Structure formats: C-alpha cells, structure tokens
Amino acid sequence: MTTSTSFTALQVMQDAPVIPVIVLNDVAHAVPMARALVAGGIRMLEVTLRTPQALACIEAIARDVPEAVVGAGTVRSKADAQAAARAGARFAVSPGYTSAVGQACRDAGLALLPGVATGSEIMMAQEDGFTELKFFPAMQAGGPAMLKAWSGPFFDVKFCPTGGVTLRNAPEFLALPNVVCVGGSWLVPAAAIAQGDWASVTQLARDTQALRKR
Ligand code: 3PG
C-alpha cells in the first residue's frame, strides 16, 4: 500500500472526462493496463471488486503505477471498503447507497461516489453529506432526460453518469451543467485486455480527451 494524498470525490470526477470502469481477471494485466490508461491521459482508475483478483490488482497498481490514482468500484459493504483501502485504493465507487457504506468509506479515508438511481436515494446520500454522486445505471434509468429533471430539485448535486455511456453518447451527458464526468467500461475492452493490446487502450483513453468540458 502506498502513502497518498487524499482526494475529494469532486477531484476524482474533475480529473478527466471519463472514469474507466475496469474488470480484471489476471493480476498480470493490472500494471500494463494502468500504464496504458495513464499514457492516454486518464489516471483515475476504477477497478471493480467483481473478480477474485480485483484487490490484488488494486494493490499492484497502487504499488507500481504512482502516476495513477486507483479506486475500487462495486463497493457494496463495509468489508469491501475496508479491503479496498487496505489494498491501496484512494477512492470508492458504489452501485447503490447505504449509510453503512458511506460511513465505512469515511472511516477508511476513501472518497466515495455513491450510486443513485432515484430521488429518494439522492436524498439519503445528501443527508449523509454526499453531494457528488454516480448516476447508475444511467441509460437504463432515464439517461440525460433524468439528469435534466433532477437539476431542478437537486440543484446542488453533481453527477457521474455510468452504465450504457459510450464515446458517442457521452457528449450529451457532459453538456449538462450537473454532470462533471461520465463513467464507462469502453476504454478497457475485455478483448484488448486478454490480448495485451495496450496500444488500443491508450488510444481509447486519448480519444476521450476530446470530450473535455469547456
Ligand atoms: C458498471 O458498473 O458495470 C458500469 O456501469 C459500466 O457500465 P458500462 O459497461 O455500460 O460502461
């Protein structure tokens, strides 16, 4: 585990137009994949806790790729938050929100982007002090129209829509004032990872720079 500057959720969101949602099945892929994304200008990396190797991958990136800021995705429990922090994660992303996860991330020193899909979930997260949220699953739960509707009552909340977001539809999300960045898995295709095609990953990361908010 590395010692680290701590980041706020807003800083995590503002670093690049896209937070890559990463699924890794092999620890050997973690470091070259992280370096490929960093080479393309993306350094906030969400490694999802969806595979048995995820924590070891986070550990490897935290240790060997100091230019990257590795976070844990799919954080669903206090135990997940604690394990992610122990592995060296510096932020967390959750697919939904519970106060237990919110508190565990605070206790572990992890900035958290809590996942929300309804007004009630936004209110629960806000009650616990979270105002930068992941809108998940963004396309399935209403897309840009939902974010426009939320901008009235939830004028003080910023979102990272994730789920069904692509290079093609990202501009529509990023044009909204309450969207800071988007999340997506398209930067790290399973086939590219399996083949060790890191040049493609770097190119996909570079392509997202054109999405920068002005
Ligand atoms: C996820 O948690 O799986 C993310 O939302 C990624 O969704 P995507 O594969 O549609 O980008």
Side-chain angles (χ1 to χ4, degrees), residues 15-18 20 32-45 67 187 198-210 212:
D15 208 62
V18 185
M33 186 252 7
R35 288 191 177 133
L37 287 168
V38 168
I42 305 253
R43 60 180 196 138
M44 296 289 168
L45 314 182
E67 310 86 349
L187 279 71
W198 309 123
S200 290
V201 173
T202 296
Q203 189 54 50
L204 287 164
R206 280 205 184 109
D207 292 345
T208 69
Q209 298 305 321
R212 275 199 183 275

Side-chain angles (χ1 to χ4, degrees), residues 22-27 47-58 73-74 76:
I22 302 161
V23 180
L24 290 169
N25 290 293
D26 186 341
V27 184
V47 176
T48 57
L49 301 184
R50 290 183 203 179
T51 63
Q53 298 80 10
L55 287 168
C57 290
I58 290 172
T74 322
R76 297 178 300 165

Side-chain angles (χ1 to χ4, degrees), residues 21 46 48 50 74 134 136 140 162-165 183-186:
V21 177
E46 176 190 339
T48 57
R50 290 183 203 179
T74 322
K134 162 175 165 165
F136 176 78
Q140 297 85 342
T162 306
V165 181
S185 61
W186 84 85

Side-chain angles (χ1 to χ4, degrees), residues 47-142:
V47 176
T48 57
L49 301 184
R50 290 183 203 179
T51 63
Q53 298 80 10
L55 287 168
C57 290
I58 290 172
E59 216 170 285
I61 296 168
R63 186 186 56 233
D64 294 342
V65 194
E67 310 86 349
V69 179
V70 65
T74 322
V75 170
R76 297 178 300 165
S77 65
K78 180 176 171 179
D80 284 346
Q82 291 171 337
R86 271 198 305 273
R90 291 153 78 184
F91 66 92
V93 184
S94 58
Y97 182 69
T98 66
S99 290
V101 165
Q103 190 57 49
C105 287
R106 280 219 172 94
D107 292 345
L110 292 173
L112 172 66
L113 279 177
V116 297
T118 68
S120 299
E121 290 161 9
I122 296 172
M123 287 164 65
M124 281 189 267
Q126 270 197 297
E127 258 174 24
D128 289 351
F130 294 96
T131 51
E132 285 88 27
L133 309 176
K134 162 175 165 165
F135 172 31
F136 176 78
M139 281 311 285
Q140 297 85 342

